[in-house]
Amino acid sequence: MKHIRQINSVNTNTYTIVDLSNYDGIMEDHPIFDAYPGAFEIAENELPEFIQYVSYDIEELNTIKTNRN
């Protein structure tokens, strides 16, 4: 299953993926990548048995991105 995961959660018991339920854009263009560069990546592997979801407000992510520039 294709998903956005937090890189430092791989191979831990807190595998973290981004909740995309309120996002209808292209996954590769999700603002999480600009707001937190190097912290997230797209993965296409099966999800492990235990996962946690992280939710972000899209407008807040866009603000973080703007303030970084």
Side-chain angles (χ1 to χ4, degrees):
M1 176 179 144
K2 191 173 181 180
H3 57 281
I4 300 173
R5 67 181 177 193
Q6 188 172 340
I7 294 170
N8 68 359
S9 74
V10 176
N11 296 321
T12 70
N13 61 353
T14 57
Y15 191 88
T16 305
I17 65 173
V18 175
D19 177 2
L20 298 173
S21 62
N22 66 347
Y23 181 71
D24 60 358
I26 298 168
M27 189 179 296
E28 289 79 1
D29 294 336
H30 194 283
I32 194 79
F33 296 114
D34 290 322
Y36 299 101
F40 293 89
E41 65 185 358
I42 294 176
E44 296 194 43
N45 58 309
E46 293 297 318
L47 296 175
E49 184 177 348
F50 298 104
I51 61 170
Q52 64 183 0
Y53 291 89
V54 63
S55 298
Y56 289 97
D57 179 272
I58 298 299
E59 293 302 318
E60 182 179 329
L61 289 175
N62 286 328
T63 300
I64 293 169
K65 173 186 169 184
T66 300
N67 290 338
R68 286 186 186 264
N69 294 331

